[in-house]
Amino acid sequence: MTIPLTPRIMDAICLDHVIPTGTGVHLQIEPPTADGSPLLAEANDLPGNDGITYLSLGTGMVDAVRDLAGSAVGWQDGIRTAGEAGPPSVRRTRALLYQFLRGIPPIALDRMVVHSLGQDVLGLGDAAAQANVIGLPVYAKAAGLRPHDPAAGPPVDRDRLLAFDREMRPTTSLDDAYVVGVVPDRHWVTDPYADVSDEIAAEVLKHPYPFGRMVFDGDRVHLGLPAGLADRAYARPLRELGRPLTREDLSRTGTPVRGVDSYGELFARMAAPLPDAAARYALVAVDGLDAGTSVYLGVHDEHGVSFLDFSTGHTAVFPRARGGIEMAELAGDAEILGLLRDLDGSRTPEASTRRPLAAPPSGVRVHRQVGRDEGHAVELIGKVGSMPDRFLEQVTRAAGDGEQDVIVIGGGRPAARPSAQSTRGDRLRLEMRLFQYYVSGAVPTVVAWGDVDKPVLDILDRYHVPLVRRTTGAAGAGSLAGGGLSLNLDNLWEARGPEGSAVSVPPQKDITPALLRAATDRRRESNLTRLPERLLSYLSLPLNDTSAIRAELAEHGPALRELRPQIDGLGVDPDVFAAHARFLGMTQDLLDVGLGVHEAATAEERHERILSAVPGLVVKEPEARRTAFEDLASITLGTLDDGASRAILRAVGMRLDGESREKVEQEIFRHAAYLPREGRPNLLRILAAVAPQLPEKYRPVLDEVAIHVADCPDL
């Protein structure tokens, strides 16, 4: 097979202008003289660089390119545009360069660099300008480079520079370089192998790719093997690792984490010789400023140097605008997947920096403890009674094998097609549980049985939590046909990364450990405002753990009361911590009532405890009474979500404050979802039992509220 890795000399160009050399091609706008050209002789003597084609420019062409650069004309709209502007040498140089370069196959252009010759007295700024005009890297001997002249403009961006030793291997120091390379702001071609056949790619991958490939493309930078080759060469690990790499992975390599000054230095460190190993691997963290930190795997093996992004399942794309770069080599000589899975194995409970995970709030059920030493859990939220045992067992098995915490959220009703509408209580329980994970430093994966509505997605994105859900497609295969989501266990499952980010594993027929790992992002880039640790610890306590709340208030009550205003700035649903916040300001008698409500074993007992406090509230002074009713109503918020008691407390307080009968009725009816007809007899019985305990003048208020409860419309 013949692969066009070196440029051909086009018949359309006179051979007087395009002359093959021992290491590439020499271009000149004037025919050679009878006694030959010293530049051509020098071009013929350039030392070879395996896999690279050198392009050198003849007499007058360097000055012409410099003139083009001074006009701020790059190859995109400069040498590509045949025009009459400029002196003849500029016009001819532009036409010759464009006519020559446009006929070279992309896979050959990707291996071509311009090498300056002895007559060219360049500064780095000149070399950078040449590179921008021609659209190819420019190499020059370091000894012939002029020092930077501040009057000529700012120095060249260090990220655009490559340093090479005498053997043309990348080196980390520009000061010790024999040859310095400058890459253009935009290359002629960014992915030359995007459209080649697998056969051609396989043939090219039999040989190492030339060192020093660094391609700028707008706000992106490509290093090492072109994506069309690297995606093929590393398809299996990119597909099967199943999770993004994170900054914490660098600290788990067991090797020093070092700072790197530039992309050129990064490339040089990865390209260093391999005396005792078949390959070198390193984790590379790059601060992308507003885009956040990305972590890639650097590989140096028989294919050359590559950088892989396991968050996308493709070759890494580096940011043009960046902060710092750090790298840590991976010790060992196992294949890629083995080394990376060792990173997961190093995350033992003893080595973990996690804080203990608080007990789940009421309404969050632990289905099964899984994993090594049962250190992870599968938890259930919502109406999960309609879920087949096969589904729950599949999730449980994948969570255990993948060492993952999983929260399964159910549909809004037990039916063959679960409702896409989540309930208010389930959302509050989900948010509270995710907050507890956030405080502990762990990240669960949420698995949805049924579709997921926007309020739930907003909660997941707030905590940077991934989701596994069913795919949607044609009718009968998980579609919205017939007005609902048609579900069956033969549909595919897909992973949605935090905030909708892409994952590296395609949809699967079953929920697998790889799918869970693909979804999980352990970077913890939550959108929440970070609060003081004391306040976080208190807020993570479930309301039903009343002994822990009593102990926390007894020991740290004054400090927590000072921190209370910060709760409002946390950025969560305000109802989630309404009870926690109110506990900090309650009188002791109301605190005892509030905690007692959360100790109740049944809804009926809860209603009795909270409504039995009403007689003691109505006799208070109006302002104190109003505050007390607000305190009691607030403890029905959060994961308890007792809308029935809340509706009655607010209605009674409003009537005592002089609100009209109509507005009180509206308040009751607004909570109709919490007042199902089958639950009203118990509420009416409790109200009838409490009414005689009130002073006689207040009893009609309770009687009136009871009538509104009885008349509440069904939803």
Side-chain angles (χ1 to χ4, degrees):
M1 176 186 297
T2 300
I3 300 175
L5 297 181
T6 56
R8 61 186 175 84
I9 298 173
M10 296 181 300
D11 295 335
I13 299 179
C14 175
L15 292 184
D16 283 344
H17 299 290
V18 181
I19 305 170
T21 67
T23 56
V25 179
H26 183 72
L27 298 187
Q28 56 188 31
I29 55 176
E30 299 293 343
T33 61
D35 57 354
S37 166
L39 292 181
L40 178 56
E42 183 180 350
N44 272 311
D45 289 338
L46 287 175
N49 186 359
D50 193 26
I52 292 291
T53 298
Y54 285 141
L55 172 65
S56 55
L57 304 181
T59 303
M61 291 191 71
V62 172
D63 291 336
V65 169
R66 186 178 293 115
D67 289 343
L68 286 171
S71 304
V73 177
W75 72 265
Q76 298 93 334
D77 58 0
I79 66 171
R80 185 172 59 185
T81 305
E84 297 301 323
S89 63
V90 171
R91 297 199 306 270
R92 294 171 66 188
T93 294
R94 182 169 55 190
L96 178 58
L97 281 170
Y98 179 61
Q99 190 178 7
F100 173 69
L101 293 175
R102 70 171 183 169
I104 298 175
I107 61 177
L109 265 180
D110 197 58
R111 296 166 175 259
M112 180 174 285
V113 302
V114 178
H115 202 301
S116 68
L117 300 178
Q119 73 162 14
D120 306 335
V121 182
L122 299 175
L124 280 178
D126 298 320
Q130 280 193 22
N132 288 344
V133 167
I134 301 173
L136 297 174
V138 172
Y139 288 6
K141 290 182 179 179
L145 287 172
R146 293 195 313 266
H148 172 66
D149 180 5
V156 178
D157 182 355
R158 179 69 177 83
D159 276 345
R160 291 180 59 189
L161 302 180
L162 291 159
F164 299 92
D165 60 19
R166 285 182 176 273
E167 285 71 43
M168 292 306 295
R169 296 191 67 93
T171 181
T172 59
S173 173
L174 284 171
D175 294 335
D176 300 328
Y178 180 73
V179 169
V180 174
V182 187
V183 300
D185 267 333
R186 188 180 293 274
H187 200 281
W188 265 82
V189 59
T190 56
D191 189 5
Y193 292 87
D195 299 319
V196 304
S197 67
D198 290 341
E199 185 181 14
I200 289 179
E203 194 66 28
V204 174
L205 286 169
K206 292 179 179 179
H207 309 279
Y209 211 79
F211 290 130
R213 181 181 183 272
M214 190 158 66
V215 173
F216 282 67
D217 179 22
D219 59 357
R220 304 178 299 174
V221 181
H222 308 269
L223 301 180
L225 245 67
L229 293 179
D231 285 354
R232 290 173 166 101
Y234 306 104
R236 180 170 174 261
L238 282 169
R239 183 179 65 249
E240 295 186 12
L241 175 62
R243 71 165 180 88
L245 296 169
T246 67
R247 182 182 286 278
E248 71 172 345
D249 286 323
L250 271 73
S251 62
R252 301 209 306 274
T253 60
T255 62
V257 178
R258 67 170 68 188
V260 178
D261 289 338
S262 67
Y263 287 141
E265 181 185 343
L266 172 63
F267 203 109
R269 293 196 180 281
M270 285 304 306
L274 303 171
D276 300 318
R280 170 180 294 110
Y281 304 104
L283 300 188
V284 179
V286 183
D287 177 7
L289 302 178
D290 292 342
T293 297
S294 297
V295 179
Y296 307 130
L297 176 70
V299 180
H300 177 188
D301 59 11
E302 71 273 16
H303 302 308
V305 171
S306 304
F307 295 91
L308 310 179
D309 183 355
F310 289 91
S311 69
T312 63
H314 296 287
T315 308
V317 177
F318 290 81
R320 179 69 178 85
R322 64 167 182 83
I325 305 174
E326 293 180 312
M327 67 179 295
E329 290 198 22
L330 282 168
D333 56 3
E335 48 89 28
I336 293 177
L337 278 175
L339 287 173
L340 295 178
R341 285 169 179 164
D342 286 345
L343 289 178
D344 288 338
S346 70
R347 191 182 177 90
T348 61
E350 293 75 21
S352 175
T353 58
R354 293 182 184 179
R355 296 173 55 175
L357 179 64
S362 59
V364 178
R365 287 151 286 172
V366 178
H367 174 66
R368 190 113 23 107
Q369 296 294 138
V370 297
R372 290 192 301 267
D373 303 320
E374 297 186 343
H376 299 274
V378 175
E379 298 173 336
L380 311 178
I381 297 177
K383 295 182 178 180
V384 296
S386 64
M387 297 181 187
D389 290 341
R390 175 189 163 194
F391 163 72
L392 288 177
E393 285 305 312
Q394 190 180 104
V395 173
T396 301
R397 184 168 54 254
D401 293 346
E403 295 290 326
Q404 299 284 311
D405 295 296
V406 173
I407 298 174
V408 181
I409 54 177
R413 62 180 183 272
R417 295 188 299 190
S419 171
Q421 185 66 40
S422 59
T423 67
R424 174 71 174 157
D426 288 346
R427 293 197 299 272
L428 292 169
R429 296 177 191 107
L430 175 63
E431 176 136 27
M432 178 63 184
R433 192 53 173 157
L434 293 181
F435 179 83
Q436 291 176 319
Y437 272 102
Y438 161 71
V439 171
S440 78
V443 185
T445 297
V446 170
V447 176
W449 173 254
D451 204 356
V452 180
D453 57 10
K454 187 177 185 302
V456 170
L457 290 178
D458 289 343
I459 293 172
L460 299 183
D461 290 347
R462 185 150 57 237
Y463 291 88
H464 211 76
V465 166
L467 171 69
V468 171
R469 60 185 175 185
R470 293 183 181 277
T471 58
T472 58
S479 72
L480 294 174
L485 184 67
S486 175
L487 298 175
N488 63 72
L489 287 176
D490 292 328
N491 293 343
L492 298 179
W493 293 90
E494 66 179 357
R496 174 191 185 268
E499 300 188 59
S501 58
V503 301
S504 58
V505 174
Q508 307 283 306
K509 182 177 181 180
D510 297 318
I511 297 176
T512 63
L515 192 64
L516 296 183
R517 282 195 299 268
T520 302
D521 183 344
R522 295 190 293 226
R523 284 179 290 181
R524 297 311 302 144
E525 294 177 353
S526 168
N527 295 327
L528 300 188
T529 301
R530 191 72 186 181
L531 300 182
E533 291 299 314
R534 174 53 54 199
L535 190 55
L536 288 176
S537 178
Y538 169 66
L539 294 178
S540 67
L541 295 174
L543 293 171
N544 52 309
D545 191 354
T546 56
S547 60
I549 289 179
R550 289 182 191 276
E552 190 77 4
L553 292 176
E555 185 172 357
H556 303 290
L560 289 171
R561 279 188 280 276
E562 289 186 10
L563 297 172
R564 175 181 171 179
Q566 297 188 40
I567 298 176
D568 295 336
L570 184 59
V572 303
D573 187 316
D575 287 355
V576 174
F577 299 119
H580 288 82
R582 284 286 180 168
F583 283 160
L584 296 176
M586 281 184 178
T587 59
Q588 187 61 46
D589 59 334
L590 281 182
L591 179 62
D592 290 338
V593 172
L595 293 175
V597 166
H598 286 281
E599 292 170 343
T602 64
E604 183 177 349
E605 182 182 355
R606 183 171 67 244
H607 295 150
E608 283 185 351
R609 291 190 180 191
I610 197 166
L611 296 178
S612 295
V614 170
L617 305 186
V618 298
V619 297
K620 293 178 179 288
E621 293 297 321
E623 188 61 36
R625 182 184 67 206
R626 189 174 300 112
T627 299
F629 268 99
E630 290 174 356
D631 283 344
L632 274 188
S634 71
I635 69 172
T636 68
L637 295 168
T639 55
L640 187 64
D641 196 36
D642 181 2
S645 297
R646 183 163 61 252
I648 292 171
L649 288 170
R650 287 179 174 171
V652 171
M654 290 169 62
R655 199 68 174 115
L656 291 174
D657 285 341
E659 287 287 0
S660 67
R661 182 183 181 122
E662 289 76 16
K663 287 191 175 180
V664 171
E665 181 185 65
Q666 290 172 8
E667 181 65 21
I668 292 291
F669 287 8
R670 191 168 66 87
H671 289 80
Y674 297 94
L675 296 167
R677 186 162 296 277
E678 62 271 17
R680 295 178 199 173
N682 280 328
L683 290 171
L684 296 175
R685 178 188 59 78
I686 294 170
L687 290 173
V690 170
Q693 303 175 37
L694 272 65
E696 188 170 351
K697 65 177 181 177
Y698 296 126
R699 293 175 188 172
V701 172
L702 233 59
D703 294 338
E704 184 180 304
V705 169
I707 292 173
H708 294 321
V709 170
D711 292 343
C712 185
D714 297 325
L715 285 185

